[in-house]
């Protein structure tokens, strides 16, 4: 018995010796790694241990394409992102996304202090870069629903799908107030009305989680199924002259506060963790260099406590041409109050430049410390230090049936009926499911990429049906009608074809081709040429309903007299079945215009409340239909 006690004591001595040795190697107790300590204490402890290079590393966000685990470790990089279309491999699975993110994270964790990086991605209408993810309607359609609770549920679903791929940070929502549809980003805006945009900030608690009752206005992320949100683009991006992307917004202080700022107040109140700065200028001052608005107003007056992030190469564009004086750009951007810089490619140039500016006293350490403190607060709030690596537990949520049903509901509620027959006594919609033969025509009827729009799989969007998983409008129509109804599809039918077939009615689906940002700027806002020809030909020879797929109002007045019914379907996303649900009366039309529909482009900009307001369809317009109770399609 005595010998056993001796062996046990020797074992305990050896165990204590091993623990002592480990402590000697790791140094003293690391308070910042203790989840039981207050966040402010953890931040203070960690920052006291950080060198200048480690702090600047935290301020650096890089694109994943050229990154390695060694770069993550050696430079202590604070964040990575996927730009539009930047994926581990084509059609990558959720597991492959998790593996990629974790590999980079292990590089960050192997740095001296083991500070985890935060990975971000543009999940702007669902997890839109990811193959098989649910693609929700773009924001312009969601604005037409007038349903903040629906948008919150979309935030919940999007967060789940983003987290399922190992990513904890979404660059969403865009809370721009688009005041001119010529802007190529207008579909990213919920409305021309700041009140609608303000209401739709309800997506933020969907993405991040509801703030606890005892917390107001500080960054918050409620667990492993939630993501860090990003309100963008601060501020005035939707008000540029002629809607030109990245252009100048001319505004007095009252107009800025009443139109472009309200959604930011509400985003901050709801605990948004990050805010992205706009490429645009305000009264000639680049927002990326606007100290008065970023530091004094956003951080000071509004007391925003999360971190401010630049847009892609946003500081480069402080100068014209971009990157022509990079030292000035870094100085102006960081001094303006930007905390994390989306570099995203030439990291050594940025790090060396910022290091030199600090060492030569052009940028004070107090500014660096403010940036790092904010970044660390979000990381601690997110729980990254306790759970830096993702697992596969959520992969089943990517493109789940529940999320597709939610997207289908959103499509139904977003559709706006602009015309329904010559008068109320002779409506064309809802369409009968039982008919001898119907025609489906148009460039957008059988094209999943077109109905999803930009920011889908790639930055500018894609065409065709092999891009991701979803239901085209043609497939939805075919699935909805009676089994005895013959559905004939012809993208561009000839007059002879139309006259030789006895179609009961036709559905023409036309619109814009996909685009994003500057590539979408348009001074004429027209339906594609082939679409106009098809619409004119079909509607001139059959009874027709036109379904318009677009990111904004387009010129339609010249064609209205030929059209029996007109539906604004916006950019509905992957669930085309939602369009057929309403066309055939399983659900009623309920969407209302979140934007003024102009008569001609010479009227632009024109918004509700303007003195000379003379629209084709006013803001808030939308006809209704009655749900058809007895229509059940045979399958």
């Amino acid at each position: 018995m005595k010998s056993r006690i001796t062996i046990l004591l020797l074992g305990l001595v050896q165990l204590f010796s091993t623990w002592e040795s480990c402590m000697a190697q790791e140094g003293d107790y690391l308070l910042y790694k203790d989840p039981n300590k207050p966040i402010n204490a953890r931040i203070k402890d960690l920052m006291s241990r950080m060198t200048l290079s480690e702090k600047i590393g935290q301020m650096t966000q890089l694109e994943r394409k050229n990154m390695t685990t060694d770069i993550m470790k050696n430079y202590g990089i604070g964040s990575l992102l996927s730009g539009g279309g930047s994926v581990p491999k084509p059609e990558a699975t959720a597991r492959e996304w998790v593996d990629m993110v974790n590999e980079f994270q292990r590089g960050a964790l192997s740095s001296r202090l083991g500070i985890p990086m935060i990975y971000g991605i543009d999940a702007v209408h669902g997890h839109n870069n990811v193959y098989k993810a649910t693609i929700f309607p773009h924001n312009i359609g969601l604005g037409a629903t007038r349903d903040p609770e629906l948008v919150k549920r979309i935030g919940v679903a999007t967060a789940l799908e983003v987290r399922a791929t190992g990513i904890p940070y979404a660059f969403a929502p865009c809370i721009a107030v688009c005041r001119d549809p010529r802007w190529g980003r207008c579909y990213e805006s919920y409305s021309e009305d700041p009140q609608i945009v303000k209401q739709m900030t309800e997506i933020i608690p969907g993405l991040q989680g509801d703030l606890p009752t005892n917390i107001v206005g500080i960054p918050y992320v409620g667990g492993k199924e939630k993501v860090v949100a990003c309100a963008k683009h601060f501020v005035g991006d939707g008000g540029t002259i002629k809607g030109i992307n990245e252009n100048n917004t001319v505004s007095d202080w009252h107009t800025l506060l009443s139109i472009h700022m309200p959604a930011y107040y509400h985003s901050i109140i709801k605990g948004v963790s990050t805010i992205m700065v706009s490429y645009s200028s305000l009264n000639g001052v680049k927002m990326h260099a606007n100290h008065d608005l970023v530091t004094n107003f956003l951080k000071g007056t509004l007391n925003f406590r999360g971190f401010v992030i630049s847009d892609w190469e946003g500081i480069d564009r402080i100068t014209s041409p971009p990157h022509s004086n990079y030292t000035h750009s870094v100085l102006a951007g960081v001094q303006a109050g930007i905390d994390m810089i989306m570099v995203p490619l030439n990291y050594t140039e940025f790090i060396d430049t910022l290091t030199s500016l600090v060492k030569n006293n052009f940028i004070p350490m107090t500014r660096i410390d403010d940036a790092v403190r904010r970044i660390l607060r979000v990381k601690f709030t997110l729980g990254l230090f306790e759970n830096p690596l993702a697992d596969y537990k959520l992969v089943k949520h990517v493109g789940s049936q529940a999320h597709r049903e939610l997207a289908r509901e959103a499509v139904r509620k977003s559709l706006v009926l602009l015309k329904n027959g010559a008068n109320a006594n002779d409506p064309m919609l809802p369409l009968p499911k039982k008919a001898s033969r119907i025609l489906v025509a148009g460039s957008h009827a059988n094209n999943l990429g077109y109905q999803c729009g930009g920011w889908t799989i790639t930055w500018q969007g894609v065409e065709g049906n092999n891009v991701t998983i979803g239901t085209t409008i043609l497939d939805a129509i075919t699935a909805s009608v009676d089994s005895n109804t013959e559905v004939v599809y012809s993208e561009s039918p000839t007059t002879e074809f139309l006259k030789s077939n006895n179609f009961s009615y036709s559905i023409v689906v036309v619109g814009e081709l996909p685009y994003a940002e500057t590539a979408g700027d348009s001074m004429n806002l027209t339906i594609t040429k082939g679409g106009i020809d098809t619409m004119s030909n079909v509607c001139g020879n059959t009874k027709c309903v036109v379904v318009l797929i677009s990111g904004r109002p387009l010129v339609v007045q010249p064609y209205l007299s030929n059209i029996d019914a007109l539906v604004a379907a916006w950019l509905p996303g992957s669930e085309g079945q939602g369009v057929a649900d309403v066309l055939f009366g399983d659900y009623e039309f309920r969407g209302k215009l979140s934007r003024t529909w102009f008569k001609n482009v010479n009227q632009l900009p024109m918004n509700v409340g303007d003195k000379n307001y003379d629209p084709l369809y006013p803001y808030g317009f939308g006809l209704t239909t009655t749900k058809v109770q007895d229509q059940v399609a045979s399958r």
Side-chain angles (χ1 to χ4, degrees), residues 254-372:
H254 171 76
T255 303
L256 185 74
L257 292 185
S258 60
I259 292 179
H260 299 287
M261 200 70 78
Y264 286 97
Y265 313 151
H266 287 264
S267 296
I268 292 168
I269 289 168
K270 292 175 181 179
V272 72
S273 296
T274 72
I275 289 176
M276 185 182 291
V277 181
S278 177
Y279 285 131
S280 58
S281 302
L282 181 68
N283 298 326
V285 179
K286 289 278 189 179
M287 280 306 308
H288 274 74
N290 197 320
H291 181 271
D292 282 344
L293 277 172
V294 177
T295 293
N296 293 346
F297 190 75
L298 178 61
K299 292 181 174 181
T301 304
L302 299 185
N303 197 28
F304 174 59
R305 295 174 64 187
F307 69 77
V308 177
I309 186 169
S310 82
D311 208 332
W312 179 283
E313 294 182 339
I315 63 167
D316 300 51
R317 302 187 201 188
I318 290 172
T319 60
S320 182
H323 204 80
S324 56
N325 185 341
Y326 194 61
T327 300
H328 168 73
S329 291
V330 174
L331 175 63
V334 174
Q335 284 290 67
I338 300 173
D339 304 308
M340 183 176 283
I341 313 299
M342 195 183 292
V343 175
L345 304 173
N346 194 345
Y347 61 94
T348 54
E349 181 186 24
F350 169 73
I351 289 170
D352 291 347
T353 301
L354 182 53
T355 301
S356 176
L357 286 167
V358 176
K359 287 185 174 179
N360 287 287
N361 298 318
F362 289 100
I363 295 177
M365 276 303 301
T366 52
R367 171 74 274 270
I368 301 299
D369 286 343
D370 171 61
V372 176

Side-chain angles (χ1 to χ4, degrees), residues 243-496:
I244 298 171
N245 193 42
E246 304 182 24
N247 201 12
N248 187 35
T249 297
V250 177
S251 173
D252 59 35
W253 186 242
H254 171 76
T255 303
L256 185 74
L257 292 185
S258 60
I259 292 179
H260 299 287
M261 200 70 78
Y264 286 97
Y265 313 151
H266 287 264
S267 296
I268 292 168
I269 289 168
K270 292 175 181 179
V272 72
S273 296
T274 72
I275 289 176
M276 185 182 291
V277 181
S278 177
Y279 285 131
S280 58
S281 302
L282 181 68
N283 298 326
V285 179
K286 289 278 189 179
M287 280 306 308
H288 274 74
N290 197 320
H291 181 271
D292 282 344
L293 277 172
V294 177
T295 293
N296 293 346
F297 190 75
L298 178 61
K299 292 181 174 181
T301 304
L302 299 185
N303 197 28
F304 174 59
R305 295 174 64 187
F307 69 77
V308 177
I309 186 169
S310 82
D311 208 332
W312 179 283
E313 294 182 339
I315 63 167
D316 300 51
R317 302 187 201 188
I318 290 172
T319 60
S320 182
H323 204 80
S324 56
N325 185 341
Y326 194 61
T327 300
H328 168 73
S329 291
V330 174
L331 175 63
V334 174
Q335 284 290 67
I338 300 173
D339 304 308
M340 183 176 283
I341 313 299
M342 195 183 292
V343 175
L345 304 173
N346 194 345
Y347 61 94
T348 54
E349 181 186 24
F350 169 73
I351 289 170
D352 291 347
T353 301
L354 182 53
T355 301
S356 176
L357 286 167
V358 176
K359 287 185 174 179
N360 287 287
N361 298 318
F362 289 100
I363 295 177
M365 276 303 301
T366 52
R367 171 74 274 270
I368 301 299
D369 286 343
D370 171 61
V372 176
R373 189 177 297 111
R374 290 168 177 274
I375 292 165
L376 292 178
R377 179 179 289 118
V378 171
K379 289 186 176 185
F380 278 120
T381 302
L382 179 61
L384 265 185
F385 283 80
E386 288 69 56
N387 299 288
L389 298 172
D391 54 37
Y392 303 131
K393 290 179 181 177
L394 301 177
V395 295
K396 64 183 179 182
H397 292 291
V398 174
S400 70
Q401 190 58 38
H403 292 172
R404 293 192 182 280
E405 288 298 327
L406 175 61
R408 182 175 172 178
E409 176 190 348
V411 175
R412 291 195 296 260
K413 292 179 176 178
S414 69
L415 302 179
V416 179
L417 182 57
L418 299 175
K419 181 179 180 180
N420 191 17
N423 55 67
N425 295 323
D426 187 24
M428 183 171 181
L429 297 172
L431 297 170
K433 293 180 179 180
K434 291 183 179 181
S436 58
R437 181 183 297 136
I438 66 173
L439 171 68
V440 179
S443 52
H444 290 56
N446 190 33
N447 199 306
L448 189 61
Y450 285 1
Q451 74 187 44
C452 289
W455 288 112
T456 305
I457 303 302
T458 69
W459 175 39
Q460 291 294 325
V462 286
E463 65 173 319
N465 294 332
N466 298 321
V467 294
T468 189
I469 302 299
T471 303
T472 67
I473 294 171
L474 172 63
D475 288 340
I477 292 167
T478 304
S480 298
V481 297
D482 187 85
S483 58
N484 294 318
T485 299
E486 181 185 357
V487 178
V488 177
Y489 170 65
S490 175
E491 183 176 329
S492 305
T494 63
T495 302
E496 291 72 27

